[in-house]
Structure formats: structure tokens, C-alpha cells
Amino acid sequence: MYANVNTPQVKNRKLAWFDDVLLLGIMAVLAACGLIYEYLLSHYAGRILGALEAAIYTMIGLMIVSMGLGAFAARKIRCAFTGFAVLELIVALCGALAILITASVIGFSQQLPQIIANTLGLPADQLPNGGFIGTFQNLSQYLPYVWGVLLGLMIGMEIPLIARVRQALSDEHLLHNAGTIYGADYIGAGIGAAIWVTFMLAIDIQLAAALTASFNLLAGFVFISRFWHKIQHPKLLLAGHIIASGLLVLLALHGPKWEQDFNNLLYKDKVIYSKATRFQQLTFTERLRAAPLPPVYSMYINGRLQFSSSDEHIYHAFLVHPTLAASARHDNILIIGGGDGLGLKQVLKWQPKQVTLVDLDVGLIDIFKQPNHTIPPRLQRALFALNGNALNDPRVNLVFNDAYNAVDQLLAEGKMFDAIIVDLPDPSHPDLNKLYSDVFYRKLKELLSRDGAITVQSTSPYHAANAFISVGNTLESAGFNVKQYHHNVPSFGEWGWSIGTLMGSNAKQRLQKLQQLPVNDPWLTPELIHGAFAFPAQFYKDKALVKVNVLGSMQLYQYHQQAWLNDQG
């Protein structure tokens, strides 16, 4: 005789198995959501306020500690079934609204001085910016971390509550309860990381938050439906989930625009275009001036000014022309960074045979290279005019890769260059730090002709003197004969560059012989170049104490961070 497969005992076993799989699946989904919330908040803090890596490390550390505290706090929840359903509703709401609320508070704090001035009729040069206003502005920048702590506390409650639910359903789970749940949690977190890297990095951050919160709500819906009779006030909780679902739809449709409007309040000029690429947040602003002066267009990357159309030519003239004037030939040039094509425009004035430009961000180059219907036409025309459509010049070879890897590839191909121009952002986070390291500069040395010259953007000698000197010392450690020079760029203040040669006279000596620039430039003259090598008497007095940026040491990153922190108070 065969056993009856439909006996109550068999049915109960199947139901218990189904519930167990359901709970573990919910735990995996929630783990993925929790990890994505960490990335979302730290990503927002880094892209809008700068210091992306520091924000990530801080956020992850805070959330891990908060999750531990949340696990302890879960013991105070009497009914695990009801507590879990309520928890997912709150997590979904907080996760979906955190970035939008943060953007609104930070934007309002930046506009508060102007609001007060308009109310009191104060002149433009007397905006209130100290006292409680300054405190409010500073504290508002920590809001992403406050949300991180709150979400961490609630995410930390999820595992203990799921564990108690499993115990309540079957005593068989007691033996392997923790191990099984943590296994689902770790796998879910890995899936969340994969989703973030492959999908969510490329979409608007507020849309990503709404999508992530929708999975918390979905988990809550499924949990309420399955354990309806074990939950207190299930109808009320279900109504809350339905209302929250409507809010998420609203946030998915309109949240990105609302968030961007709030973010735009951070900028002095009007934001006319913003784009999140896979690697960075690009923001373009416009400032109208009295006729016949053209508008001023500025570009920000992760909240940091990269150029202003009013004076970018000063920066790029000092970056490019001394380098090529100090080089014996100009046939084959390498540019690292400079995806906007502004430096490339200056290089092409020297009539090279070929220019290789290496930049990681395809999205950035596309903005400056080809028409895009999403960009305001007036901005597109201004950008093409600024770079002279240089990125479409047939002599230009574009390489889309991390500069560190691209240089290795160029070495493997046996390439040599008459001059090298390194136009990278400041070493404000560890990923950029390696591109200012001794090892990277030794690689560049192998690519440079013996009678050529290399110039590296070297941050501000006024605001970050040790960082500036460290760039020079690091180039020297790689075997270059280095001189440094500086000039005032109004949008940035005093700015500096390091120029190195390999054989014969150093760059300063070569340029001293320069009586006339071989190319036309509306700003730069030989006299300005000669004077740019002069520094205050005591500027280099501690040069021997400034450390070389050895690969992996993060020395330059630390110099840079500390200098700007001190400068900004």
C-alpha cells in the first residue's frame, strides 16, 4: 500500500517548507535593498557634496554599527509578525524619501541667506552667512548620515524578526536558524551589489531609491498576505502599504525632477543641464550678463567646479603651451584626462600629426563631441565653441579606459610621445590618488621621448601647498627634472602645474629662451610664462619634508584633504 500524500501531516510539511522558502527569499530581497540603500545615500553625499570615497566609507561604517544596535533593539518588539510588517512599511518610506528630503533641506539652507536678505532688503554684498545660518548649512550636509543611521537601525531589526517568525512557525528551524538566515542575507547582499553596479549606477538616484523601496513594500505585501491571521491590525497595515505604493509611483515619475530642482539650489548660477554618467554627476550652469557679453557657462563634476567659460582659456593655455614650447617636437601628443576637449583645442594649435586622449567617461566626452537632443541647444553651441569641436578632429585618437590601464596598454604597444599632458581632477579620492603616484609617473616616463616634456595639473599652491609640492617631489622620484609654475585663474584662484623633462636643460631653462609663442593666444605671453616660475621666498622651505606619493600610501590624498579642510574651516 502507498502512503496517502494528501494526509494533514504531509500537507503541513509542504506548507512549512513553502513558508521557509518564502521567508528566506524575503530576507535575501531585503538584504539586497539594504546594501543598495547604503550605496544610494553615500553616492548622493559624494556626488552632491564631494569626497565620494570618504562618504562611502563613513556611510558603510555608520550603517553597520546601526544595524548591530538595531539587532539588539528588535528584542523589544513583542509580536515579530506585526513588527516585521510595520518595519517594512517604514523602511520603504524612509528609503524612498531620504534623498528627496535631504536635497530639499540642503537646498533650502543654501538659499536661506538670500531669502533673509530679500526679506530685510539687504544689499547683495551683505548676505548673512554666519551664526545659526552657517551652523544650519553645515549640519544639513550630515543629513545623509542621519538617514543612514535610521535605516541601519531598521535594517538591523530584520534578521532577528525573521528568525523569530521562523521559530514561531516550526521548532525545526532552531538548530540552523541563524546560519540559514545569514546565508540568505549574504547572498541577497551580493545580488544587491550586482544590481547596483550593472543597473542602478546608470539611472537617476531618486528613481533608484523609489525602485528599491518598492521591493520593501512588495516584501511587506507578501508577508501580510501569507500571515494575515498572525498580524495585528492587518487591514490597517495593508492600507498603509497601498498608500505607500501610490507615493512610490509618484516619486518614480516626478521625484527625479524634484530632487534635481532642490540640488540646483546648491549652485550660484542657474542649472540648465545635469547628467549622471556611470562614473560621475555632471552639472552645467548658466549666468547671463549684460549685452553684448555672452553668458558664462560652468561645468561641475560631483559638485566641484571643473571650468568656467569666462576663464578656462587661462588654465588651459598655461597647461598646454609651456609643455609644447619646452618639447623638441610636437608630432605625437598624449593627453590624459581632459575629456571636455578644452585642452585638446590648445594642443591642436601646434599642428600635431596625432593626439591620443585618454578618458574614462564616455558619457562626458559624448556631451562635448556630438549633438544631443537632451542638452539645451544654446549650451551645446557654447560647448562646441569652447573646445572648437576638437574631439571630432581626424587627428585625435580617443581611448576610453582608466588611465592606469590605458598607459599599460600604450606601453605594450610600444608607443612614444613627444609631449604628455596630464589634466586630471584633483586627487580628492583614492581612485585618483594612484594617477598621481610614483609608479604611474614612471610608466609615463617610458612613454615620453627623451627630449620631450610632461606637465601635470598640480592643484593650488596657495590652498594646498604640501599637495602641490608633493606632486613635484613624486615626479622627481620617477626620474624627471621638475620645475613648478603657477598663475591666477579667477574661478579657481591661484593654480599650479608641474613640468618635467628627462634630458638636457630643464623646462624653465628652455622656456627662458622663448621670446615669442609659436601659436597665437589671447592671454599667454612669454613674460607671463617666465614670471609663473617665481614663488614666494619661503614657499619651498619645507620641501624636503613633503613626502613622495608612493603608490598605495594615499599620501597625496591626505595632503589634499587636510589642506582643503583647513582652508574651509
Side-chain angles (χ1 to χ4, degrees):
M1 298 290 293
Y2 291 99
N4 187 350
V5 295
N6 293 316
T7 62
Q9 185 178 4
V10 173
K11 288 183 178 179
N12 289 338
R13 192 179 300 118
K14 288 182 178 180
L15 187 60
W17 179 86
F18 172 79
D19 287 342
D20 202 35
V21 172
L22 178 66
L23 290 174
L24 292 177
I26 288 175
M27 193 64 250
V29 170
L30 298 184
C33 292
L35 191 72
I36 291 173
Y37 285 134
E38 289 184 20
Y39 290 158
L40 281 171
L41 288 169
S42 55
H43 207 61
Y44 176 80
R47 285 200 167 190
I48 300 303
L49 305 175
L52 179 59
E53 275 65 28
I56 291 174
Y57 304 148
T58 303
M59 186 66 69
I60 291 176
L62 283 174
M63 290 192 72
I64 288 175
V65 172
S66 301
M67 288 163 63
L69 296 175
F72 285 115
R75 295 183 299 180
K76 300 295 183 181
I77 297 176
R78 292 183 179 180
C79 177
F81 290 90
T82 305
F84 184 80
V86 173
L87 184 67
E88 291 316 300
L89 177 59
I90 298 174
V91 169
L93 290 173
C94 289
L97 292 170
I99 289 172
L100 190 62
I101 293 175
T102 300
S104 66
V105 172
I106 293 176
F108 174 73
S109 73
Q110 298 300 313
Q111 289 298 305
L112 186 57
Q114 188 65 57
I115 293 172
I116 294 175
N118 292 341
T119 303
L120 300 179
L122 298 176
D125 60 347
Q126 294 185 19
L127 293 182
N129 55 15
F132 83 92
I133 296 176
T135 302
F136 178 41
Q137 290 175 337
N138 290 332
L139 290 178
S140 68
Q141 298 185 26
Y142 291 96
L143 262 182
Y145 304 118
V146 175
W147 286 112
V149 170
L150 290 175
L151 282 168
L153 286 170
M154 291 184 286
I155 291 168
M157 295 180 183
E158 291 171 341
I159 289 180
L161 290 178
I162 286 287
R164 285 168 55 187
V165 168
R166 293 184 78 220
Q167 289 180 15
L169 294 175
S170 174
D171 289 339
E172 294 177 6
H173 298 310
L174 290 175
L175 182 60
H176 302 294
N177 198 3
T180 305
I181 291 177
Y182 278 114
D185 182 75
Y186 296 148
I187 292 172
I191 294 172
I195 292 172
W196 172 259
V197 172
T198 58
F199 172 62
M200 288 193 168
L201 264 176
I203 67 174
D204 183 90
I205 197 167
Q206 179 58 48
L207 177 59
L211 289 175
T212 305
S214 69
F215 282 92
N216 285 105
L217 275 189
L218 179 61
F221 271 122
V222 171
F223 189 85
I224 292 171
S225 300
R226 177 64 191 91
F227 303 111
W228 182 273
H229 297 293
K230 295 180 180 293
I231 297 172
Q232 300 171 17
H233 311 294
K235 292 182 179 179
L236 184 62
L237 281 171
L238 183 61
H241 277 68
I242 293 173
I243 294 171
S245 297
L247 177 62
L248 288 188
V249 172
L250 188 65
L251 289 174
L253 294 175
H254 302 288
K257 182 182 183 304
W258 293 341
E259 180 232 338
Q260 191 57 57
D261 289 342
F262 288 131
N263 290 341
N264 292 348
L265 297 176
L266 296 173
Y267 299 93
K268 180 180 179 181
D269 300 330
K270 180 182 178 182
V271 175
I272 60 171
Y273 182 68
S274 184
K275 177 181 175 61
T277 72
R278 183 175 176 81
F279 303 102
Q280 50 204 355
Q281 178 73 35
L282 309 177
T283 303
F284 294 85
T285 65
E286 178 185 58
R287 183 170 74 249
L288 299 178
R289 298 188 291 180
L293 296 175
V296 174
Y297 294 99
S298 300
M299 184 181 80
Y300 297 80
I301 294 181
N302 295 343
R304 296 173 182 267
L305 179 66
Q306 295 304 300
F307 73 77
S308 169
S309 63
S310 63
D311 55 23
E312 61 79 18
H313 64 282
I314 300 175
Y315 169 86
H316 290 103
F318 271 90
L319 172 73
V320 171
H321 299 318
T323 315
L324 299 186
S327 300
R329 292 176 304 280
H330 322 106
D331 293 336
N332 199 7
I333 313 299
L334 173 64
I335 302 176
I336 295 178
D340 50 32
L342 300 176
L344 174 62
K345 174 186 177 181
Q346 302 298 329
V347 168
L348 293 177
K349 291 181 179 180
W350 292 78
Q351 301 302 318
K353 293 179 180 178
Q354 186 179 48
V355 181
T356 299
L357 189 148
V358 176
D359 200 293
L360 177 64
D361 197 342
V362 178
L364 169 65
I365 288 183
D366 282 347
I367 289 175
F368 290 86
K369 185 176 188 293
Q370 56 194 21
N372 187 320
H373 71 277
T374 65
I375 301 176
R378 66 186 187 280
L379 173 62
Q380 191 84 84
R381 289 192 297 269
L383 297 181
F384 286 169
L386 281 174
N387 71 8
N389 203 23
L391 291 166
N392 289 304
D393 192 290
R395 294 169 290 177
V396 177
N397 174 36
L398 296 175
V399 177
F400 300 110
N401 201 347
D402 177 84
Y404 205 86
N405 298 330
V407 165
D408 285 339
Q409 182 62 38
L410 292 172
L411 286 170
E413 295 171 0
K415 300 285 188 179
M416 293 292 291
F417 297 93
D418 299 320
I420 299 175
I421 296 167
V422 184
D423 187 18
L424 294 168
D426 277 4
S428 55
H429 58 77
D431 276 352
L432 278 170
N433 187 79
K434 69 180 181 182
L435 302 180
Y436 286 84
S437 68
D438 57 338
V439 172
F440 185 65
Y441 290 155
R442 284 201 290 270
K443 293 175 186 288
L444 294 182
K445 177 185 175 183
E446 298 306 312
L447 290 174
L448 183 64
S449 298
R450 300 300 97 176
D451 53 2
I454 179 175
T455 294
V456 178
Q457 184 284 116
S458 304
T459 196
S460 171
Y462 179 80
H463 295 286
N466 283 347
F468 175 77
I469 294 172
S470 179
V471 174
N473 287 353
T474 306
L475 273 170
E476 287 180 351
S477 75
F480 292 99
N481 187 342
V482 178
K483 293 295 178 181
Q484 294 185 291
Y485 60 102
H486 63 109
H487 190 74
N488 183 267
V489 182
S491 294
F492 297 109
E494 199 69 21
W495 213 255
W497 302 264
S498 302
I499 185 168
T501 55
L502 293 174
M503 296 182 65
S505 303
N506 62 46
K508 181 181 177 181
Q509 293 168 336
R510 297 180 189 183
L511 293 170
Q512 285 293 338
K513 303 174 183 178
L514 189 66
Q515 299 301 316
Q516 183 178 353
L517 275 179
V519 296
N520 292 324
D521 188 88
W523 184 270
L524 196 61
T525 65
E527 291 77 14
L528 283 177
I529 294 176
H530 300 157
F533 286 90
F535 284 86
Q538 298 298 311
F539 183 78
Y540 285 107
K541 64 182 178 65
D542 296 324
K543 183 179 186 297
L545 302 178
V546 177
K547 296 179 181 179
V548 167
N549 187 38
V550 176
L551 181 64
S553 70
M554 299 298 168
Q555 186 61 64
L556 183 60
Y557 168 74
Q558 293 167 10
Y559 280 143
H560 184 271
Q561 291 295 92
Q562 189 59 50
W564 287 102
L565 180 65
N566 292 341
D567 182 73
Q568 296 171 6

